[in-house]
């Protein structure tokens, strides 16, 4: 190996180690999170009870964007376990969107025609408290590296599929070596046209977007679409901006989907600011989802009528290309249910 090649290999290894260290060093103890943010210890007992049901996990770089001493910080509310999570609420269930009924062999979920979703891992860089898969049986349904052969065979046999979605968990929790291996397998399936990646990691832990990640993405023959997940403009700091620029630089199409969350982004100005900031970074606002009614997340929910009013207020103040589609996912439906969308011929 030449000196320059050797230096490149060392550099890539160091970069990868950096994000993996960030994963390992994520905050998992509610007491530590409260102490770092200078919040009242009276919040701790409830946080511990809720974290026993769904563990706390949040990268330190994400915590650094939160306001000290503010228990209502919109980023903190997305990750802080609360007593509300321990209360049963009518209509809020484990499998809110019918994932279990959509399972195919090899860790594949298919709900919609022409595309299928691959559960690559159960791991995430962050545990969002509203996660619709917080109860998902990842140990039973997971196209992990050991079973990718089965997943690839299932996909190859179904010529109706033109797009594969990598999901989880978060696929970018896996190593680039594993992801490159999977990507190469998908590249060899002739009827596939697009590779879509659903990920929150570049938002909460932007150091994950390194040269190694960009290398395998750049060499895929498939058209790469990356659907990011930001809920508030405060999440989009300079480090995220740099990470997103790298993804755009390799030709990936960048979209964003948000979840409408009470106490986080439930006003039209906040939603408009998010859309503007996303567009300034080269990311198109794609979906604004109503909350999936998963057990443990009822405190984030809001009436559909309120959601429609917020969306309309945002639509009234922005050009159509900055307004995401307001949608709800319903178990068994042939597509997402649109509650508000801008027609293509509208300005």
């Amino acid at each position: 190996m030449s000196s320059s090649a050797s230096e490149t290999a060392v550099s890539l290894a160091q970069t990868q180690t950096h994000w993996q260290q960030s994963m390992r060093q994520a905050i998992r103890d509610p007491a530590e999170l409260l102490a770092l943010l200078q919040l009242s210890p009276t919040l701790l007992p409830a946080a511990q009870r809720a974290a026993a049901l769904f563990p706390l996990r949040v990268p330190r770089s994400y915590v650094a964007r939160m306001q000290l001493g503010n228990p209502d910080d919109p980023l903190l509310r997305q990750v802080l376990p609360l007593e509300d999570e321990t209360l049963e609420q009518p209509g809020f269930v484990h499998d809110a969107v019918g994932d279990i009924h959509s399972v195919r062999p090899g860790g594949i979920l298919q709900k919609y025609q022409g595309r299928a979703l691959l559960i690559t891992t159960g791991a995430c860089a962050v545990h969002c408290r509203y996660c619709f898969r917080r109860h998902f049986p990842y140990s039973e349904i997971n196209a992990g590296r050991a079973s990718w052969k089965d997943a690839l065979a299932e996909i190859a046999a179904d010529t109706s599929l033109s797009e594969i979605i990598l999901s989880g968990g978060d696929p970018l929790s896996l190593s680039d070596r594993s992801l490159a291996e999977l990507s190469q397998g998908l590249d060899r399936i002739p009827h596939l046209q697009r590779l879509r990646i659903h990920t929150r990691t570049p938002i909460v832990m932007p150091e994950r977007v390194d040269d190694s990640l960009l290398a395998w993405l750049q060499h895929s023959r498939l058209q790469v679409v990356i659907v990011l997940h930001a809920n508030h403009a405060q999440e989009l700091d300079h480090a995220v901006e740099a990470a997103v620029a790298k993804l755009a630089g390799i030709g990936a199409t960048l979209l964003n989907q948000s979840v409408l969350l009470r106490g986080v982004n439930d006003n039209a100005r906040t939603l408009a600011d998010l859309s503007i900031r996303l567009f300034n970074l080269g990311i198109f606002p794609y979906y604004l989802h109503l909350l999936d009614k998963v057990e443990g997340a009822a405190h984030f929910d809001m009436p559909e009528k309120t959601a429609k009013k917020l969306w309309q207020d945002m639509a009234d103040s922005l050009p159509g290309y900055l307004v995401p589609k307001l949608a709800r996912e319903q178990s068994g439906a042939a597509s997402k249910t649109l509650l508000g969308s801008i027609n293509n011929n509208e300005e």
Side-chain angles (χ1 to χ4, degrees), residues 90-345:
F92 286 79
V93 298
H94 277 208
D95 186 15
V97 296
D99 278 344
I100 303 303
H101 301 296
S102 306
V103 173
R104 293 176 53 174
I108 296 170
L109 303 183
Q110 185 174 13
K111 300 179 182 179
Y112 308 134
Q113 185 176 355
R115 53 209 185 272
L117 184 148
L118 198 59
I119 297 290
T120 57
T121 176
C124 280
V126 64
H127 287 178
C128 301
R129 308 314 299 179
Y130 53 88
C131 178
F132 69 97
R133 290 201 181 116
R134 59 186 286 165
H135 304 290
F136 190 81
Y138 289 108
S139 60
E140 303 168 23
I141 305 171
N142 188 333
R145 194 173 181 183
S147 62
W148 279 347
K149 181 179 179 181
D150 295 337
L152 292 170
E154 179 78 6
I155 294 166
D158 187 349
T159 58
S160 72
L161 296 175
S162 61
E163 179 173 356
I164 293 299
I165 303 164
L166 303 188
S167 186
D170 193 310
L172 296 192
S173 299
L174 295 172
S175 72
D176 289 313
R177 181 176 180 179
S178 296
L179 289 168
E181 180 182 308
L182 176 58
S183 177
Q184 289 163 9
L186 294 170
D187 281 350
R188 291 191 288 267
I189 299 175
H191 53 266
L192 293 183
Q193 300 173 23
R194 292 176 300 280
L195 176 65
R196 195 194 322 174
I197 300 171
H198 283 196
T199 179
R200 186 150 160 77
T201 300
I203 303 298
V204 301
M205 197 178 73
E207 58 267 37
R208 177 62 183 92
V209 182
D210 58 18
D211 290 343
S212 181
L213 171 65
L214 297 171
W216 71 264
L217 282 173
Q218 191 170 359
H219 287 98
S220 174
R221 74 157 182 87
L222 302 173
Q223 183 177 5
V224 175
V225 179
I226 300 177
V227 181
L228 300 164
H229 178 179
N231 296 316
H232 196 283
Q234 186 179 319
E235 295 178 307
L236 304 174
D237 65 359
H238 292 303
V240 173
E241 181 176 358
V244 166
K246 291 177 184 178
L247 294 172
I250 63 165
T253 299
L254 303 179
L255 308 174
N256 184 73
Q257 56 183 358
S258 305
V259 180
L260 190 54
L261 301 167
R262 183 154 58 93
V264 174
N265 56 10
D266 54 341
N267 69 77
R269 183 68 261 165
T270 296
L271 293 170
D273 288 346
L274 172 61
S275 283
I276 292 167
R277 176 64 172 149
L278 287 166
F279 188 75
N280 288 344
L281 298 186
I283 307 166
F284 276 87
Y286 176 39
Y287 274 123
L288 175 61
H289 291 280
L290 269 68
L291 181 78
D292 296 317
K293 293 184 178 293
V294 64
E295 184 177 299
H299 56 292
F300 288 114
D301 198 23
M302 65 182 64
E304 185 175 304
K305 181 178 179 180
T306 303
K308 288 180 176 179
K309 177 62 166 61
L310 287 174
W311 181 88
Q312 189 60 58
D313 288 347
M314 179 173 55
D316 289 344
S317 67
L318 293 173
Y321 59 85
L322 288 183
V323 183
K325 292 178 282 189
L326 180 66
R328 180 188 293 282
E329 183 167 354
Q330 295 178 305
S331 178
S335 64
K336 289 182 173 61
T337 301
L338 295 184
L339 306 171
S341 63
I342 301 295
N343 294 329
N344 290 334
N345 61 348

Side-chain angles (χ1 to χ4, degrees), residues 28-74:
R28 303 178 189 221
D29 182 356
E32 182 181 10
L33 179 62
L34 295 175
L36 284 172
L37 293 172
Q38 300 176 16
L39 293 170
S40 171
T42 60
L43 297 170
L44 183 57
Q48 290 174 326
R49 286 191 291 272
L53 299 175
F54 182 48
L56 168 71
R57 183 178 189 135
V58 55
R60 294 176 186 274
S61 62
Y62 189 69
V63 174
R65 297 171 233 172
M66 300 175 187
Q67 183 181 15
L68 295 178
N70 181 8
D72 296 320
D73 180 272

